[in-house]
Amino acid sequence: MEQSTIIALTKKYVRQMLEQDRTGHDLHHIKRVYRLANYIAEQEKVDPFVVSLAALLHDIKDHKFTGGDSTVGANLAADFLSGLNVPEEICREVREIILGISFKGGFNKDVSLTPAGKVVQDADRLDAIGAIGVARALTYGGYMGRILYDPMIPPQTYETIDAYLSNESTTINHFYEKLLKLKNTLHTKTARRIAVKRHQFLLDYLQQFLTEWEGLDY
Ligand code: ADP
Ligand code: NI
């Protein structure tokens, strides 16, 4: 099968899988990550085929809703590609990328990613910062019924991955516990360049938020 046909069929499959999602892992997140990952791949001269497949398939099952288990989505993705007779080593690489790219409190930073994995992880992380990142965090927090902000609950440092995943912190604390850390975890020069403005936007947003919260602007 042609690579372009495999990608078209993968897009169709992902659309079916994500149609119902309202948690911030919606189809539009996938479209943005797919486009951005392909841009980074082009700039960094990384094979766009594996990048495209991993970008499209990386969120078909969210580990936050499978009890912290990323293998469900990774296996589904690999099985789907095997079913299209995609070469075994590509199915395996896509599976490893999906297992490896999630943030999970920064606890899985030791996993070794392939060049394609690094590109997809960078694109995924860029979509968690900037104006879109703010919107996704607020959407996710609302969906999960989290408190928006409470000055009495300071940002936390989590000792274990389970503590990170089960935390009941506020949505604004999520900026300090995850979003502001992402800039320094990026692998590619291209992503670091794009991150500068998006990271600054987070800082500006927080500053304005806290200024209004404390009534310091009137
Ligand atoms: P990853 O797949 O890298 O672990 P997540 O699935 O945790 O990332 O996050 C998906 C989206 O939901 C991101 O935009 C992220 O910032 C947001 N999100 C995750 N956890 C929280 C939280 N506790 N509060 C607000 N937003 C969150
Ligand atoms: Ni994602």
Side-chain angles (χ1 to χ4, degrees):
M1 210 184 287
E2 295 262 354
Q3 289 193 345
S4 59
T5 312
I6 293 168
I7 289 174
L9 289 171
T10 304
K11 285 180 179 173
K12 195 170 154 212
Y13 171 71
V14 171
R15 205 175 304 127
Q16 284 165 359
M17 294 293 283
L18 291 181
E19 238 147 32
Q20 310 302 333
D21 197 301
R22 292 286 178 277
T23 63
H25 273 139
D26 56 298
L27 195 55
H28 297 285
H29 164 65
I30 302 304
K31 288 184 176 178
R32 290 189 303 268
V33 171
Y34 174 75
R35 189 179 61 189
L36 181 49
N38 271 288
Y39 172 78
I40 298 172
E42 196 185 324
Q43 297 292 309
E44 305 280 335
K45 309 210 178 341
V46 174
D47 173 22
F49 185 55
V50 177
V51 167
S52 293
L53 296 178
L56 289 170
L57 292 163
H58 82 277
D59 275 333
I60 50 173
K61 277 276 177 277
D62 188 334
H63 63 79
K64 292 195 292 326
F65 302 103
T66 55
D69 188 357
S70 307
T71 58
V72 181
N75 289 338
L76 258 178
D79 291 347
F80 168 76
L81 294 175
S82 286
L84 299 181
N85 291 322
V86 170
E88 231 11 79
E89 72 267 17
I90 292 186
C91 300
R92 214 172 311 127
E93 183 175 349
V94 171
R95 185 177 177 281
E96 292 303 311
I97 292 173
I98 297 171
L99 285 176
I101 65 169
S102 176
F103 177 69
K104 299 205 183 126
F107 288 99
N108 64 351
K109 59 175 164 286
D110 294 333
V111 297
S112 59
L113 287 168
T114 60
K118 290 179 179 171
V119 167
V120 177
Q121 186 178 63
D122 279 3
D124 194 31
R125 291 186 169 177
L126 286 171
D127 203 57
I129 61 176
I132 300 259
V134 171
R136 290 180 72 211
L138 299 179
T139 302
Y140 179 89
Y143 179 84
M144 299 295 277
R146 284 175 166 249
I147 300 169
L148 177 58
Y149 177 58
D150 182 344
M152 299 304 286
I153 306 176
Q156 308 283 311
T157 314
Y158 299 102
E159 301 296 334
T160 64
I161 186 166
D162 287 336
Y164 171 74
L165 291 173
S166 64
N167 82 77
E168 298 197 348
S169 200
T170 68
T171 297
I172 289 297
N173 281 352
H174 184 68
F175 285 63
Y176 298 97
E177 293 166 6
K178 173 180 173 183
L179 304 185
L180 291 172
K181 294 178 178 173
L182 293 179
K183 180 174 69 95
N184 291 332
T185 69
L186 299 172
H187 307 281
T188 65
K189 219 170 121 234
T190 308
R192 283 195 291 270
R193 171 175 64 75
I194 299 167
V196 173
K197 254 182 129 172
R198 296 190 183 197
H199 182 83
Q200 188 58 45
F201 186 89
L202 295 179
L203 295 174
D204 294 344
Y205 179 82
L206 285 170
Q207 194 181 26
Q208 180 70 17
F209 182 97
L210 295 171
T211 299
E212 292 176 20
W213 187 280
E214 288 163 18
L216 298 175
D217 60 339
Y218 52 84

